[in-house]
Amino acid sequence: MASGVLSAQDFLDFVGSLYSSAVPQRQARVDSFFNVNTQYPMIENDTTAIFLLKGAYGSVDLAGDMNGWQTGIDALSNVSNTDMWFQLRNYPSNARLDYKFVADNAWILDPRNPNTVTGGYGPNSELAMPLYVQPWEIEDRPGIPKGNLSSHTIQSTIMGTSYQVQVYLPPAYDTNATYPTAYFHDGQEYVSLANAQHILDNLIDSNLISPLIGVFVQPNNRNDEYAFGLRANYANFFSSELVQWVDSRYATRTDSATRASIGASFGGNISGYIVANHHDVFGMHGQHS
């Protein structure tokens, strides 16, 4: 157990003992408990996580990777006449989860968990079970050849606006060679949140992929460009103006079988749409949840 003070059963016994205590004594015992136990969530036997929150709330939910970030389905229990809220959950011993508390409809970080990770909507609290191992692919490994990431602005006639694009060139990029290309939707998030540059460096260095050129494109009007009214025009921009811009500046292979469109969520939606409607340009397709 992380705190080394209570087991899961001991914790439930402690909760039971609170109800056996005189009402005026309960809060003092809760205060003492939180002063003694300082690491949260508490973890027992590598598989049981004890989520705890202290505060005068009317309701508290747990929302995160464990339940699709839904509210109203994983409520924490309150010990009456105290400000302690709790929930016990079992997870695989090598699980890693992002989560938040929803306290009186306000989304908050776990105030006693120092571990956070940045997500698409800001920071989340992180629960890493004891046997979780950070993927080596995302780490900035010293001593290996590194690619180069540059930033550009591209003007689109089709869309009537400009787009921010980052281009990854592999280590030892050679203008006399030609390279496959991978185009990433929500490009800034793939770089800043998913460590895409480290991943490409590491996979190339480990000979798990061939050296390639990565193109990370940031949308301007994400929902409409990826899924609704602007989708067709955006796909035309992506498969014509953007590809032509890249091919005219870099040593790319131009056959569709070596050009990929990759995205997550709505970015996966537009990725599939582009490959389905412009398969002569993009022959490979990656969709992430």
Side-chain angles (χ1 to χ4, degrees), residues 161-235:
T161 188
S162 60
Y163 289 91
Q164 300 303 308
V165 175
Q166 293 175 282
V167 177
Y168 169 90
L169 298 181
Y173 172 73
D174 182 359
T175 57
N176 293 316
T178 57
Y179 299 88
T181 49
Y183 288 71
F184 296 84
H185 304 276
D186 291 311
Q188 179 58 44
E189 283 69 25
Y190 268 94
V191 172
S192 63
L193 302 182
N195 296 312
Q197 184 174 2
H198 298 335
I199 292 172
L200 293 177
D201 287 341
N202 289 330
L203 296 184
I204 291 170
D205 179 69
S206 300
N207 295 315
L208 293 174
I209 61 172
S210 301
L212 58 80
I213 295 172
V215 183
F216 301 89
V217 188
Q218 192 64 12
N220 292 333
N221 186 346
R222 185 177 189 272
N223 287 357
D224 283 347
E225 290 170 349
Y226 284 4
F228 300 113
L230 297 176
R231 182 174 64 168
N233 284 345
Y234 186 82

Side-chain angles (χ1 to χ4, degrees), residues 32-53:
S32 177
F33 173 87
F34 277 91
N35 287 335
V36 171
N37 296 276
T38 59
Q39 187 169 340
Y40 299 91
M42 299 166 63
I43 299 174
E44 171 65 13
N45 293 331
D46 293 347
T47 57
T48 300
I50 305 173
F51 293 92
L52 290 149
L53 181 65

Side-chain angles (χ1 to χ4, degrees), residues 65-96:
D65 292 332
M66 69 288 291
N67 59 18
W69 294 92
Q70 299 181 66
T71 61
I73 62 175
D74 277 319
L76 274 68
S77 299
N78 172 243
V79 177
S80 60
N81 300 109
T82 78
D83 61 2
M84 185 175 82
W85 298 79
F86 70 92
Q87 183 185 114
L88 277 68
R89 294 288 300 265
N90 290 320
Y91 302 112
S93 58
N94 62 348
R96 195 210 66 83

